[in-house]
Amino acid sequence: MARDRPLLSSRSSSELSRGLAEEDALLTGQPTTRSGPRTWNFWREIGLFVWAVIATAAVIVLAVIYQKAQDSSNGAPPLSGKRNLVFMVSDGMGPTSLSLTRSFMQYTEGAPFNKQLILDKHFIGQSRTRSASSLITDSAAGATAFSCALKSYNGAISVLPNHQPCGTVLEAAKKAGYMTGLVVTTRITDATPATFASHVHMRQEEDLIAQQMVGDHPLGRVVDLIFGGGKCHFLPNSSLSSCRADDKDIVALAQKNGFNYISDRQGFNDLKGGKSIKLPMLGLFADGDIPFEIDRRNEDDHYPSLHEMAETALTALSEATRDSKKGFFLMIEGSRIDHAGHFNDPAAQVHEVLAYDKTMTSVLDFLERDSTQGVMVSTSDHETGGLAAARQLHASYPQYLWYPGPLANASHSAERLDLNYKAFLLSHPSAPKATQRQFVEDSITSGLGIMDASDEEIDALVAQPEISLYLFADMISRRSQTGWSTHGHSAADVNIYSSDPVLAKALVGNHENTEVGDFLREFLDVDVESVTKELREKGIKMMGMEEGESWMGRLPEEGERIDGGDHLKTYEGEFRRRGLEGGVHVGCGCGMH
Ligand SMILES: *[C@@H]1O[C@H](CO)[C@@H](O)[C@H](O)[C@H]1NC(C)=O
Ligand SMILES: *[C@@H]1O[C@H](CO)[C@@H](O)[C@H](O)[C@H]1NC(C)=O
Ligand SMILES: [Zn+2]
């Protein structure tokens, strides 16, 4: 019956079976039964076929020539030459951070709903983030996927699950003759920057990371420019602001290895935006993390901003490679978007994302005017906080709303108010409850811009100063109706951005995070495998190692890998930061990964 025939098929059944026989012949190489003398028709078909092949080839050749002509007509040199790569990492920034920040920006600027962030205009794809040990990665495994292009366990700093080091794109770039830089707002010894220039079995070993970063490393010094925080890991434990467990002076070690060292705003200003900088350069501008942008912008004379550091680094690296055949590799991290997520502080977060957006503008402007071919690729290692631009506060069906207003009213981060509160308690150990209460109320009105704090909220802050960080953040989150599902990370896919979707076309679409790592090494055309080999050979012979001791620090013991929920215990226990919290930072579990 006609109904049983294949749809759209008008061929008779004999035609159909001949077609099938010919297809069969193509697959098996056996001739069909159709034979007989080769007729005019046969030769005519051959002729047509040859003509078609030649015509197709000609079209392809013309298309390639046309494409080349297009490329050189818009000024871009072919990729075979000198090149620069700027890799930006927005730590802990998921897609919802963008929705939140975009609406916040429109609200504060009175802009129309179609005004976008700079980031939005450079969106090219998404990255899947799981690690080798968990569906939810930490920053160490997340950044190892970028540096080594391999999956490892949570907590691993460019080492693999078999505890062998893996060469990084930065190390390979350095060996190939590129200049290299790391610019962050967290401690430079924190996981993301660490994975590019050091190798340790556990991310908590920040003392060892500091040492490796300034050249106590099997390959010697691999970074030319370092800007960030984390000074406390570079100072010997005899210094008041040290957080090292030993008495090693890593600043002195850095200087011995040729680094020029600066440690404050004045030193940074003297670099004149990168025009008078001597590489290698170690710039550490805070004992721990550089303050959140929401706080820092009022303390501009103390700490450089992310975009200032990025612009200075770009100028410095570009000047330093002016007469070189190779360009530079620079990693820039908006490190503390993640911290705002961990604290569930939406006001701090939108300012961090805006600072990152502004920094991307700086990078794009640089690439635009620089004569060397370059590309910027930006992504996150994971999402933090399980952020939702919605929050159901009551049992009744919620309205479809969230309010940017409370974020705009806040002038301080919850972190800063928490630190102020604890400093107050330390300096007024016997203050009556009424004084303490007054201090809390002032923090809420002047710091958070909240005029309708409830008695319950104030009582909680008076009763539990140890968790005031979370209590302050929650007051903003509830009023803005922003939701959070965790103080940790989530498994959400994260966005990928680029200055050039053609150069970065390998990252268009949805990708595994290791493919971002693949892109970095392929764009720079560097040999990371030989670096891995060299690390393994030279690491064994590293100086000053006792019998059985690894140059990559202690191996994690059973249950010590940062996979499960009890990793905070490990982090805050053995490697407690000395001196920073003044002894009052008790048990809020605010350690960050
Ligand atoms: C400082 O480090 C040395 C080892 O390098 C150690 O013996 C000493 O106990 C440390 N001092 C303090 C106060 O931690
Ligand atoms: C913002 O602060 C002002 C006072 O400075 C206050 O009147 C207003 O209610 C606050 N807005 C929100 C959304 O909390
Ligand atoms: Zn992270």
Side-chain angles (χ1 to χ4, degrees):
M1 292 173 69
R3 211 175 340 129
D4 293 328
R5 269 211 249 132
L7 223 56
L8 301 178
S9 169
S10 58
R11 288 186 291 178
S12 72
S13 65
S14 71
E15 275 173 329
L16 201 63
S17 67
R18 196 172 72 224
L20 286 175
E22 276 167 5
E23 222 165 81
D24 221 38
L26 280 173
L27 289 174
T28 61
Q30 297 297 315
T32 62
T33 52
R34 201 166 53 128
S35 55
R38 289 181 172 171
T39 60
W40 159 244
N41 243 359
F42 172 80
W43 291 111
R44 189 173 147 267
E45 274 179 33
I46 292 284
L48 280 173
F49 175 73
V50 169
W51 161 242
V53 168
I54 291 171
T56 307
V59 166
I60 290 171
V61 167
L62 284 173
V64 169
I65 290 171
Y66 176 74
Q67 185 64 44
K68 282 255 152 81
Q70 287 279 297
D71 284 353
S72 47
S73 73
N74 66 26
L79 196 55
S80 57
K82 181 176 173 180
R83 70 201 73 164
N84 297 325
L85 174 57
V86 183
F87 181 47
M88 297 185 69
V89 180
S90 44
D91 199 310
M93 183 177 80
T96 310
S97 297
L98 277 300
S99 314
L100 199 81
T101 306
R102 191 185 310 110
S103 295
F104 174 78
M105 173 273 289
Q106 290 164 0
Y107 174 87
T108 52
E109 292 183 9
F113 65 80
N114 60 358
K115 176 157 187 201
Q116 292 176 297
L117 299 167
I118 299 301
L119 278 140
D120 292 328
K121 298 174 186 166
H122 295 88
F123 174 87
I124 62 164
Q126 283 200 315
S127 162
R128 310 189 293 272
T129 65
R130 72 154 296 173
S131 72
S133 63
S134 175
L135 287 173
I136 300 183
T137 188
D138 81 321
S139 291
T144 297
F146 304 146
S147 66
C148 293
L150 292 165
K151 299 268 186 189
S152 194
Y153 58 91
N154 288 5
I157 302 291
S158 291
V159 297
L160 300 179
N162 65 5
H163 300 299
Q164 290 288 331
C166 49
T168 77
V169 61
L170 184 143
E171 290 161 346
K174 181 66 188 169
K175 284 204 77 87
Y178 287 90
M179 298 292 264
T180 60
L182 298 172
V183 172
V184 304
T185 50
T186 180
R187 308 175 305 286
I188 195 72
T189 50
D190 199 13
T192 309
T195 58
F196 287 91
S198 67
H199 305 265
V200 299
H201 297 298
M202 293 193 293
R203 58 178 290 169
Q204 300 93 323
E205 302 237 31
E206 294 188 39
D207 289 355
L208 187 52
I209 290 167
Q211 225 166 304
Q212 291 186 18
M213 275 196 158
V214 299
D216 215 350
H217 179 288
L219 308 181
R221 183 179 62 76
V222 293
V223 200
D224 295 302
L225 181 149
I226 292 173
F227 285 158
K231 203 188 304 175
C232 75
H233 286 287
F234 292 73
L235 303 175
N237 67 3
S238 53
S239 157
L240 202 60
S241 48
S242 167
C243 55
R244 283 191 75 82
D246 61 27
D247 56 6
K248 287 185 182 148
D249 183 342
I250 307 304
V251 170
L253 176 65
Q255 286 166 330
K256 197 181 116 233
N257 288 339
F259 275 100
N260 297 286
Y261 174 63
I262 56 170
S263 61
D264 56 19
R265 178 52 126 161
Q266 187 54 51
F268 181 79
N269 290 346
D270 291 345
L271 303 177
K272 302 202 167 29
K275 290 199 181 63
S276 70
I277 197 170
K278 280 218 184 69
L279 301 180
M281 161 59 60
L282 174 64
L284 302 174
F285 306 113
D287 287 342
D289 300 319
I290 292 174
F292 278 126
E293 181 61 22
I294 191 174
D295 303 315
R296 191 211 63 83
R297 61 193 177 144
N298 304 315
E299 300 155 19
D300 208 34
D301 47 341
H302 285 296
Y303 308 98
S305 67
L306 182 61
H307 80 267
E308 286 175 305
M309 292 194 288
E311 286 168 15
T312 302
L314 288 165
T315 302
L317 292 172
S318 150
E319 298 270 322
T321 53
R322 181 174 298 283
D323 302 318
S324 165
K325 282 204 187 62
K326 298 285 182 179
F328 62 80
F329 171 70
L330 173 63
M331 195 283 291
I332 301 171
E333 185 190 34
S335 319
R336 304 205 67 205
I337 299 168
D338 172 66
H339 297 181
H342 280 290
F343 299 158
N344 293 0
D345 182 343
Q349 176 148 109
V350 291
H351 287 281
E352 289 304 295
V353 174
L354 286 175
Y356 188 76
D357 202 52
K358 188 164 185 175
T359 304
M360 186 174 281
T361 307
S362 303
V363 172
L364 294 167
D365 288 350
F366 169 83
L367 291 173
E368 186 82 34
R369 64 172 190 268
D370 194 56
S371 56
T372 302
Q373 166 152 285
V375 75
M376 176 278 298
V377 163
S378 161
T379 192
S380 308
D381 47 356
H382 54 80
E383 197 270 356
T384 303
L387 173 62
R391 181 164 187 147
Q392 180 162 0
L393 294 170
H394 309 286
S396 56
Y397 194 79
Q399 285 184 295
Y400 295 162
L401 284 169
W402 81 269
Y403 299 105
L407 307 190
N409 261 18
S411 58
H412 292 73
S413 67
E415 177 189 56
R416 176 53 54 88
L417 296 178
D418 169 70
L419 287 173
N420 288 352
Y421 185 22
K422 284 176 181 150
F424 166 80
L425 291 175
L426 261 189
S427 56
H428 301 78
S430 51
K433 276 280 177 273
T435 316
Q436 192 183 336
R437 197 179 174 83
Q438 190 56 52
F439 185 88
V440 165
E441 286 185 19
D442 289 347
S443 294
I444 293 170
T445 51
S446 67
L448 299 181
I450 290 175
M451 306 300 158
D452 61 353
S454 70
D455 283 342
E456 291 77 34
E457 285 173 325
I458 296 168
D459 289 345
L461 279 161
V462 171
Q464 293 176 280
E466 68 276 9
I467 56 163
S468 81
L469 171 60
Y470 290 172
L471 295 175
F472 282 127
D474 191 51
M475 290 179 74
I476 301 244
S477 294
R478 286 176 175 278
R479 282 168 177 75
S480 57
Q481 294 189 28
T482 46
W484 303 90
S485 59
T486 175
H487 279 107
H489 299 175
S490 81
D493 289 357
V494 293
N495 293 348
I496 305 177
Y497 303 90
S498 179
S499 57
D500 188 334
V502 176
L503 285 178
K505 69 170 176 292
L507 295 178
V508 171
N510 183 270
H511 295 276
E512 205 58 49
N513 55 3
T514 49
E515 293 174 68
V516 176
D518 289 334
F519 172 82
L520 301 179
R521 58 180 61 187
E522 278 158 23
F523 181 82
L524 292 175
D525 192 21
V526 291
D527 180 5
V528 185
E529 304 317 321
S530 73
V531 171
T532 299
K533 198 156 160 282
E534 195 177 339
L535 279 173
R536 292 179 187 183
E537 285 163 8
K538 293 192 174 159
I540 292 168
K541 295 182 232 146
M542 272 250 314
M543 312 251 303
M545 289 292 137
E546 309 272 318
E547 189 68 30
E549 200 183 15
S550 163
W551 66 278
M552 296 178 290
R554 219 161 51 72
L555 281 172
E557 279 162 23
E558 196 60 42
E560 209 173 18
R561 285 185 180 189
I562 306 171
D563 302 342
D566 58 352
H567 62 267
L568 293 175
K569 205 169 58 202
T570 318
Y571 184 61
E572 299 211 343
E574 195 152 352
F575 300 90
R576 191 195 309 277
R577 290 195 280 160
R578 287 178 60 250
L580 289 184
E581 284 88 19
V584 288
H585 209 85
V586 279
C588 110
C590 309
M592 291 163 298
H593 299 284

